[in-house]
Amino acid sequence: MQSRSPSINSQSTRRRPSLPGRAYSRRLSALSSAELGHDGTTAENAEQKIEEEIDEIKRYEDFTTIDWVQDAAREQLRRRARKKESAGFFERKGRSGIRHKLWESYDAGQVWIVVTLVGAAIGLNAAFLNIVTEWLSDIKLGHCTTAFYLNENFCCWGAENGCPEWHRWSTIWPINYFLYFVFSIIFASTSASLVKSFAPYAAGSGISEIKCIIAGFVMKGFLGFWTLLIKSISLPLAIASGLSVGKEGPSVHYAVCTGNVISRFFDKYKRNAAKTREILSACAAAGVAVAFGSPIGGVLFSLEEMSSYFPLKTMWRSYFCALVATAVLAAMNPFRTGQLVMFQVRYDRSWHFFEIIFFVFLGIFGGLYGAFVIKWNLRVQAFRKKHLSQYPILEATILAAGTALLCYPNMFLRIDMTESMEILFLECEGGHDYDGLCDAKNRWTMALSLGFATIMRTFLVIISYGCKVPAGIFVPSMAIGASFGRMVGILVEALHGAFPQSKFFSACEPDVPCITPGTYAFLGAGAALSGIMHITVSVVVIMFELTGALTYILPTMIVVGTTKAISAYFPPGGIADRMISFNGFPFLDTKEEHTFHVSVSSVMTPVSNITLLPSNGLSLRALEALLRKSSFQGFPVVEDRASRILLGYIGRTELRYAIDKTKKEQSLRPDAKCLFFAPASTAVRTPSALTPPVTFEQISSSSSIQTVDFSRFVDPTPLAVHRRLALETVMELFKKIGPRVILVELKGRLMGLVTVKDCLKYQFKVEAQERGGEGESRTERFEAWLWERMRRAGDMAIALMGRVSGGRIRLGLGEARGEGLLAAGSQDPRDARESIGGAVSREEQEGGILDGTENDEEGVELRAR
């Protein structure tokens, strides 16, 4: 009987029988107290405590992925532990009492409490942002003499075309132009400064990142309190600056932030990623609901665009959250008109079948607009990430200045985009006229002005979306579609006026206006929104809820359907999906279908490039050295490195925790042997790698310990597939089951492993080969030429500013490049990857995709922070 055996050899492990002397071995025992004949309650409590400690560690791991299989298994373990803990309190004589029923009712009702609180908070925040945004937008043009805090609508309540109480800043046009320019610069620079200094994640729309987070990708701080606060403060400033960005996209971000912050106060959601995912999906629906006054459209948007997993219970909770948020917004009544959004409109006239030709034309425009803006905006984003990421404040300020200079002379570009849509959507009857928009004498002038506004706004959206301020693209795209649609409506109205007796217009009634240009603006807005986001059903419902007109559902469906058909001729995915690929986030879109005709062995990381852990014989010193050198987030456990017989899988976090805990509790020699598989253990273990536990307090403190048993932290049933399995099937497993990694084996021998990153790398490679690489070098040369001209212009401006100010003002954009007043002190974490080899296009993403296998010590998260 050998009581001091330092290890268990691999031959014993291969045979798998129980060793008689195992119970007497003086090592870290993997035997649970249940195996020793003790009560299992203490052991389960200890196991629960260890799991909570590991989960707490994982909460702070940035840029990692959630393994939904393990998350579900751990939740089952937590439920059993809670049930046993509360059994003595809730049960009397083996029966459940009234306290147990009350507790079950509270536990089941927590979700409705959270959803109600979140919906109310989102509605209040939306009302606050609407009021502040309108006031800041109007303060650029003038002020109210009776109360400075009132915007123009409230100051001139009931008046159609202004009032004496609302004063322009000056009666001199150039002074008003200059003040408009100055206010735009101040608002943009303030917004960018807040984002840069306090919450870099508050920049942008946030929709693409939220899609990845709901799918299981961890981005520490993206949904935190500071992001919520800074986004809520800087968003009105960015909108009021006149930048061609909208607040409807960011409203989804701050809504999801609200849900994440509030749900953290409830234990049910604090440690359960699956439950939190349901709340985040509901919050996304509420964000769209308050942005467009469309609760049903918000639910459909969350289903169609945001969530890769959307069961029926999530749909009902999303609906309830959107309902509460919309009801609170309606109770606040921020516009004092009963409207939830400014551009709500009601149509009382019908349409004619001959107009379908023009509706199809609007749909074609929507598809072409979406493809054009997505293509060129991604190129601008690549240029921004490569050259401008160090100057976010300066970039936003220059964009706002240029936008103000270009937009002020045009009557449709000067005002806020939501106000512009309100004007363009309205019918001409009823006294609704804006600077002669409905005057027949001004038709050609208005058509030219609207055409110029369409072209200019498209250009500004391309260069503005993605700058480091809260920025959405919903409303800018809708404003572009509205201006183009109104222009088409005016031209059709002019055509009818020129040929009123034509058979083409025979369906028109004699004494009733035949053409309603406002409906063309409305349909154009829907076409542009569908084209840029590649969504269909939710757009139809949103536009219906905006108008409340059943008669225009069919035209909206025709327009959106045409837009969808045109978009199919271009690369798949809306701008949110393309931004996910651009940023290298590990996300497999459930809407995409691929046919590669290859097996998983063509894509997997081969076993020669994987760090393997033998089941026994590895010293503690060698194991710690392996952790320091390896960049993987998990390690396959094999019988031995020669045979590669697969026994299980252990995560990096679990292994690091086990080592630290053991060294803290016991005195171990560096040459102590590590055991990753207990041959005598016959206990049934869950996929969460949890065997019947043993507490570290039961471990002997003897310094002669030779073997450390980590088998309880090993997952003995990892997801493994045959090497000949089709790649498409493996991608479906990632989409529907959600594992972090899938092992590839052949007759029990490990052949490799595959992650989402490997699948995406192969997908991008195939797409790049299909597209061809022509034009890439030419684009790079043009970007280098443009950046050099911008640097020279910046140096000249800095030198001129220094001479004019006598050296008192220094922007610091010279050789130091990044140390000046308007440069960034720290990069956005999403841009920090560019210096590590991040990609600037889909085909260049092969080295820049994050999948949770990055080294904690050398990876993106530390460089980002």
Side-chain angles (χ1 to χ4, degrees), residues 113-395:
I113 296 174
V114 172
V115 166
T116 303
L117 293 175
V118 169
I122 292 172
L124 290 172
N125 199 13
F128 164 77
L129 292 179
N130 284 335
I131 294 171
V132 174
T133 301
E134 292 305 314
W135 182 80
L136 289 175
S137 298
D138 286 347
I139 205 67
K140 296 190 302 181
L141 301 174
H143 63 96
C144 185
T145 56
T146 56
F148 188 77
Y149 56 85
L150 295 178
N151 62 21
E152 184 175 5
N153 285 335
F154 285 162
C155 185
C156 302
W157 191 257
E160 283 290 336
N161 297 313
C163 63
E165 290 79 12
W166 179 261
H167 283 187
R168 297 283 178 178
W169 289 111
S170 174
T171 57
I172 304 174
W173 183 83
I175 295 179
N176 289 330
Y177 195 174
F178 175 75
L179 291 176
Y180 181 91
F181 175 80
V182 170
F183 274 117
S184 298
I185 291 177
I186 293 173
F187 292 158
S189 60
T190 304
S191 178
S193 299
L194 289 172
V195 169
K196 189 266 288 189
S197 301
F198 299 102
Y201 276 143
S205 172
I207 289 180
S208 56
E209 290 84 354
I210 292 171
K211 288 183 67 173
C212 296
I213 290 172
I214 292 176
F217 190 56
V218 178
M219 297 180 69
K220 181 65 179 174
F222 190 83
L223 302 179
F225 173 76
W226 275 105
T227 303
L228 170 63
L229 179 63
I230 298 303
K231 191 126 192 173
S232 300
I233 295 174
S234 57
L235 178 58
L237 292 169
I239 303 302
S241 69
L243 288 170
S244 293
V245 296
K247 69 179 188 305
E248 278 64 22
S251 67
V252 177
H253 189 185
Y254 73 68
V256 176
C257 287
T258 304
N260 181 68
V261 171
I262 293 178
S263 65
R264 289 296 176 183
F265 291 100
F266 295 82
D267 290 336
K268 188 174 183 178
Y269 300 96
K270 193 172 184 180
R271 303 187 189 281
N272 190 340
K275 295 288 185 183
T276 304
R277 175 166 64 170
E278 297 176 4
I279 296 297
L280 299 187
S281 298
C283 294
V288 174
V290 296
F292 293 102
S294 173
I296 304 300
V299 174
L300 291 176
F301 177 83
S302 183
L303 169 63
E304 185 176 2
E305 179 67 12
M306 299 299 298
S307 302
S308 56
Y309 176 74
F310 204 83
L312 186 61
K313 62 178 181 179
T314 303
M315 177 179 290
W316 170 230
R317 290 164 186 172
S318 300
Y319 168 75
F320 187 79
C321 188
L323 175 64
V324 173
T326 308
V328 171
L329 180 62
M332 294 290 294
N333 196 11
F335 304 112
R336 293 297 183 269
T337 59
Q339 295 179 338
L340 297 178
V341 292
M342 180 177 287
F343 47 87
Q344 275 186 319
V345 66
R346 293 290 181 268
Y347 295 121
D348 54 8
R349 287 204 296 267
S350 184
W351 53 280
H352 307 88
F353 277 96
F354 69 82
E355 294 181 278
I356 291 179
I357 298 175
F358 307 109
F359 297 160
V360 170
F361 179 68
L362 291 177
I364 295 173
F365 166 79
L368 296 177
Y369 161 80
F372 179 80
V373 171
I374 290 173
K375 175 182 179 180
W376 288 101
N377 179 256
L378 288 177
R379 293 197 177 185
V380 172
Q381 296 273 33
F383 181 83
R384 175 179 288 118
K385 179 176 286 190
K386 188 175 183 180
H387 299 293
L388 302 178
S389 59
Q390 294 292 332
Y391 318 107
I393 303 176
L394 182 60
E395 180 198 1

Side-chain angles (χ1 to χ4, degrees), residues 212 580-581 584-589 592 594 596 603 727 731 734-735 754-768 842-843 845-851:
C212 296
I580 290 174
S581 303
F585 297 140
F587 179 78
L588 288 172
D589 195 347
E592 291 186 5
H594 301 281
F596 298 113
V603 178
L727 177 60
M731 294 177 73
F734 277 117
K735 293 176 184 177
V754 62
T755 64
V756 174
K757 177 179 181 178
D758 297 319
C759 298
L760 290 173
K761 284 171 61 177
Y762 186 82
Q763 175 183 328
F764 296 159
K765 180 181 178 181
V766 171
E767 292 177 355
R842 281 177 72 94
E843 56 267 32
Q845 288 295 335
E846 298 181 16
I849 304 172
L850 296 170
D851 69 338

Side-chain angles (χ1 to χ4, degrees), residues 573-734:
I575 194 164
D577 301 312
R578 301 290 293 277
M579 285 300 297
I580 290 174
S581 303
F582 176 82
N583 287 319
F585 297 140
F587 179 78
L588 288 172
D589 195 347
T590 55
K591 298 189 293 292
E592 291 186 5
E593 295 182 0
H594 301 281
T595 305
F596 298 113
H597 301 294
V598 297
S599 64
V600 67
S601 60
S602 303
V603 178
M604 70 180 184
T605 302
V607 70
S608 58
N609 297 335
I610 302 173
T611 302
L612 304 179
L613 297 181
S615 61
N616 56 69
L618 189 67
S619 67
L620 185 62
R621 180 192 296 109
L623 181 60
E624 291 183 310
L626 183 146
L627 280 174
R628 286 193 298 269
K629 295 178 181 178
S630 173
S631 60
F632 297 105
Q633 289 288 77
F635 308 95
V637 177
V638 295
E639 199 167 86
D640 58 68
R641 287 171 175 164
S643 66
R644 304 199 309 271
I645 300 299
L646 181 62
L647 300 179
Y649 186 85
I650 185 170
R652 185 188 191 94
T653 303
E654 286 83 356
L655 183 57
R656 184 75 263 175
Y657 169 83
I659 293 174
D660 293 341
K661 183 75 172 177
T662 306
K663 293 174 68 175
K664 179 181 178 182
E665 296 290 338
Q666 301 296 327
S667 175
L668 294 175
R669 294 207 304 262
D671 60 349
K673 301 303 180 181
C674 301
L675 182 69
F676 292 98
F677 186 79
S681 177
T682 58
V684 178
R685 293 184 282 187
T686 67
S688 60
L690 301 174
T691 58
V694 58
T695 62
F696 285 98
E697 290 74 10
Q698 297 170 333
I699 299 171
S700 171
S701 60
S702 172
S703 61
S704 61
I705 294 176
Q706 298 295 318
T707 305
V708 184
D709 192 346
F710 295 128
S711 61
R712 63 194 303 273
F713 295 98
V714 176
D715 182 355
T717 57
L719 185 58
V721 299
H722 195 277
R723 60 176 299 179
R724 295 180 183 175
L725 187 65
L727 177 60
E728 296 86 350
T729 306
V730 173
M731 294 177 73
E732 287 299 315
L733 289 176
F734 277 117

Side-chain angles (χ1 to χ4, degrees), residues 505-517:
F505 299 108
S506 59
C508 297
E509 298 181 13
D511 298 327
V512 178
C514 182
I515 306 297
T516 306

